[in-house]
Amino acid sequence: LVVIEKYLEDKLLANNFFDNCRSIKTPTYLYDKKGLEKVVLEDNAEYIVIKERRGSCGVGIEILHKNRAEKIIDFDDNHVVEAFVPSKGIIANSDKKEHDGCMRYMVFVEKEKNKNILVHHFGGYWRLCPKPIYYTVFNDVDSMRANLTQGAIAQKASKTELQLVHSVVEQNI
């Protein structure tokens, strides 16, 4: 279990778990010229996320428009880069404005001795960015980073949304 935790701490290594299900997880690349080019050209990202390879809690995240990517030259092995993937607009109960969000959905996957894969769904909730979507035009990270330690808003997901995620997870695991 400790080995798995160490593997998951590293965003670049954890990325390998998703090689066969890219429909639910955008690729993560090493933060170098090649990785940046893949995000902009292959993943067709409008915004680029740069974050610490072993970071957590949304600390140190930079989100840049692709037009600013050419000016980036301080590459290093301690950071990763990936495409920013906006969600559908979600009306926050707190301010009745549209926010971008990230759903946290919990599953437990086990493999039986006969090789059957069992997926146990525990549900999920939305983490909404602290600022509404329209702040994205100002490249305001708080309209694009949905991390609870950085002020994100926790909000209950609807039964329909949870059923949809349940279905997508079942199809991709």
Side-chain angles (χ1 to χ4, degrees), residues 10-12 28-31 49-53 76-82:
D10 185 323
K11 290 172 182 55
L12 199 56
T28 301
Y29 306 102
L30 184 63
Y31 179 52
V49 180
I50 302 166
K51 53 187 168 182
E52 292 179 20
R53 188 171 170 173
D76 67 64
D77 292 347
N78 296 318
H79 287 79
V80 293
V81 62
E82 57 191 32

Short mmCIF file of all heavy atoms in Angstrom, two decimals, residues 10-12 28-31 49-53 76-82:
data_model
loop_
_atom_site.label_atom_id
_atom_site.label_comp_id
_atom_site.label_asym_id
_atom_site.label_seq_id
_atom_site.Cartn_x
_atom_site.Cartn_y
_atom_site.Cartn_z
N ASP A 10 3.16 11.10 -7.25
CA ASP A 10 3.83 11.65 -8.42
C ASP A 10 2.83 11.70 -9.58
O ASP A 10 2.45 10.67 -10.12
CB ASP A 10 5.03 10.77 -8.77
CG ASP A 10 5.88 11.33 -9.89
OD1 ASP A 10 5.31 11.91 -10.85
OD2 ASP A 10 7.11 11.17 -9.83
N LYS A 11 2.42 12.90 -9.96
CA LYS A 11 1.40 13.05 -11.00
C LYS A 11 1.81 12.43 -12.34
O LYS A 11 0.98 11.93 -13.08
CB LYS A 11 1.05 14.52 -11.17
CG LYS A 11 0.30 15.10 -10.00
CD LYS A 11 0.17 16.61 -10.13
CE LYS A 11 -0.53 17.23 -8.96
NZ LYS A 11 0.04 16.95 -7.67
N LEU A 12 3.09 12.45 -12.64
CA LEU A 12 3.56 11.89 -13.89
C LEU A 12 3.46 10.36 -13.88
O LEU A 12 3.04 9.75 -14.86
CB LEU A 12 5.00 12.33 -14.15
CG LEU A 12 5.49 12.23 -15.58
CD1 LEU A 12 4.60 13.00 -16.55
CD2 LEU A 12 6.91 12.74 -15.68
N THR A 28 -1.03 13.88 -18.69
CA THR A 28 -0.10 14.74 -17.96
C THR A 28 1.29 14.48 -18.53
O THR A 28 1.67 13.34 -18.74
CB THR A 28 -0.12 14.39 -16.45
OG1 THR A 28 -1.44 14.57 -15.96
CG2 THR A 28 0.84 15.26 -15.67
N TYR A 29 2.03 15.57 -18.78
CA TYR A 29 3.36 15.46 -19.37
C TYR A 29 4.39 16.13 -18.47
O TYR A 29 4.07 17.03 -17.70
CB TYR A 29 3.40 16.16 -20.74
CG TYR A 29 2.35 15.70 -21.70
CD1 TYR A 29 1.22 16.47 -21.93
CD2 TYR A 29 2.49 14.51 -22.41
CE1 TYR A 29 0.24 16.07 -22.83
CE2 TYR A 29 1.51 14.09 -23.31
CZ TYR A 29 0.39 14.88 -23.51
OH TYR A 29 -0.57 14.48 -24.40
N LEU A 30 5.64 15.71 -18.64
CA LEU A 30 6.73 16.39 -17.96
C LEU A 30 6.77 17.83 -18.47
O LEU A 30 6.51 18.10 -19.65
CB LEU A 30 8.06 15.69 -18.27
CG LEU A 30 9.28 16.24 -17.56
CD1 LEU A 30 9.15 16.07 -16.04
CD2 LEU A 30 10.54 15.54 -18.04
N TYR A 31 7.09 18.75 -17.60
CA TYR A 31 7.12 20.17 -17.94
C TYR A 31 8.42 20.49 -18.68
O TYR A 31 9.41 20.90 -18.11
CB TYR A 31 6.97 21.00 -16.67
CG TYR A 31 7.00 22.49 -16.89
CD1 TYR A 31 6.17 23.10 -17.82
CD2 TYR A 31 7.85 23.29 -16.13
CE1 TYR A 31 6.18 24.46 -17.99
CE2 TYR A 31 7.86 24.66 -16.30
CZ TYR A 31 7.04 25.24 -17.24
OH TYR A 31 7.06 26.60 -17.43
N VAL A 49 -2.21 24.09 -17.78
CA VAL A 49 -2.02 24.00 -16.33
C VAL A 49 -0.60 23.52 -16.06
O VAL A 49 -0.17 22.50 -16.60
CB VAL A 49 -3.01 23.00 -15.70
CG1 VAL A 49 -2.80 22.92 -14.19
CG2 VAL A 49 -4.45 23.37 -16.03
N ILE A 50 0.12 24.28 -15.24
CA ILE A 50 1.47 23.90 -14.81
C ILE A 50 1.39 23.72 -13.31
O ILE A 50 0.92 24.61 -12.60
CB ILE A 50 2.50 24.98 -15.17
CG1 ILE A 50 2.51 25.24 -16.68
CG2 ILE A 50 3.90 24.57 -14.69
CD1 ILE A 50 3.23 26.50 -17.09
N LYS A 51 1.83 22.56 -12.83
CA LYS A 51 1.77 22.31 -11.39
C LYS A 51 2.92 21.44 -10.94
O LYS A 51 3.57 20.78 -11.75
CB LYS A 51 0.43 21.69 -11.00
CG LYS A 51 0.01 20.46 -11.75
CD LYS A 51 -1.41 20.09 -11.36
CE LYS A 51 -2.00 19.05 -12.27
NZ LYS A 51 -3.38 18.74 -11.91
N GLU A 52 3.15 21.48 -9.64
CA GLU A 52 4.23 20.68 -9.08
C GLU A 52 3.94 19.20 -9.28
O GLU A 52 2.81 18.75 -9.08
CB GLU A 52 4.40 20.98 -7.59
CG GLU A 52 4.92 22.38 -7.33
CD GLU A 52 5.06 22.68 -5.85
OE1 GLU A 52 5.14 21.74 -5.05
OE2 GLU A 52 5.11 23.87 -5.51
N ARG A 53 4.95 18.48 -9.65
CA ARG A 53 4.82 17.05 -9.93
C ARG A 53 4.33 16.27 -8.70
O ARG A 53 3.56 15.33 -8.81
CB ARG A 53 6.18 16.52 -10.39
CG ARG A 53 6.17 15.13 -10.88
CD ARG A 53 7.51 14.80 -11.51
NE ARG A 53 7.58 13.39 -11.79
CZ ARG A 53 8.56 12.81 -12.45
NH1 ARG A 53 9.55 13.54 -12.91
NH2 ARG A 53 8.55 11.52 -12.67
N ASP A 76 11.54 22.40 -15.89
CA ASP A 76 12.25 21.59 -14.90
C ASP A 76 11.51 20.27 -14.69
O ASP A 76 10.37 20.12 -15.07
CB ASP A 76 12.43 22.34 -13.57
CG ASP A 76 11.13 22.59 -12.84
OD1 ASP A 76 10.46 21.61 -12.44
OD2 ASP A 76 10.77 23.76 -12.66
N ASP A 77 12.22 19.31 -14.07
CA ASP A 77 11.66 17.97 -13.85
C ASP A 77 10.72 17.89 -12.66
O ASP A 77 10.15 16.84 -12.39
CB ASP A 77 12.79 16.96 -13.63
CG ASP A 77 13.61 16.73 -14.89
OD1 ASP A 77 13.16 17.16 -15.97
OD2 ASP A 77 14.70 16.14 -14.79
N ASN A 78 10.57 18.97 -11.91
CA ASN A 78 9.72 18.97 -10.72
C ASN A 78 8.29 19.44 -11.01
O ASN A 78 7.49 19.54 -10.09
CB ASN A 78 10.33 19.85 -9.63
CG ASN A 78 11.66 19.31 -9.16
OD1 ASN A 78 11.80 18.11 -8.97
ND2 ASN A 78 12.63 20.18 -8.99
N HIS A 79 8.00 19.75 -12.27
CA HIS A 79 6.67 20.22 -12.64
C HIS A 79 6.12 19.39 -13.80
O HIS A 79 6.87 18.79 -14.55
CB HIS A 79 6.70 21.70 -13.03
CG HIS A 79 6.88 22.60 -11.86
ND1 HIS A 79 8.11 22.82 -11.27
CD2 HIS A 79 5.99 23.32 -11.14
CE1 HIS A 79 7.96 23.64 -10.25
NE2 HIS A 79 6.69 23.97 -10.15
N VAL A 80 4.81 19.39 -13.91
CA VAL A 80 4.12 18.74 -15.02
C VAL A 80 3.21 19.76 -15.69
O VAL A 80 2.91 20.82 -15.13
CB VAL A 80 3.29 17.52 -14.55
CG1 VAL A 80 4.21 16.42 -14.04
CG2 VAL A 80 2.25 17.90 -13.52
N VAL A 81 2.78 19.42 -16.89
CA VAL A 81 1.90 20.29 -17.65
C VAL A 81 0.76 19.45 -18.22
O VAL A 81 0.95 18.29 -18.58
CB VAL A 81 2.69 21.04 -18.76
CG1 VAL A 81 3.30 20.08 -19.75
CG2 VAL A 81 1.83 22.09 -19.45
N GLU A 82 -0.43 20.03 -18.25
CA GLU A 82 -1.58 19.34 -18.83
C GLU A 82 -2.57 20.38 -19.32
O GLU A 82 -2.50 21.56 -18.98
CB GLU A 82 -2.23 18.38 -17.84
CG GLU A 82 -2.68 18.99 -16.55
CD GLU A 82 -3.06 17.96 -15.49
OE1 GLU A 82 -2.48 16.86 -15.45
OE2 GLU A 82 -3.96 18.27 -14.70
#
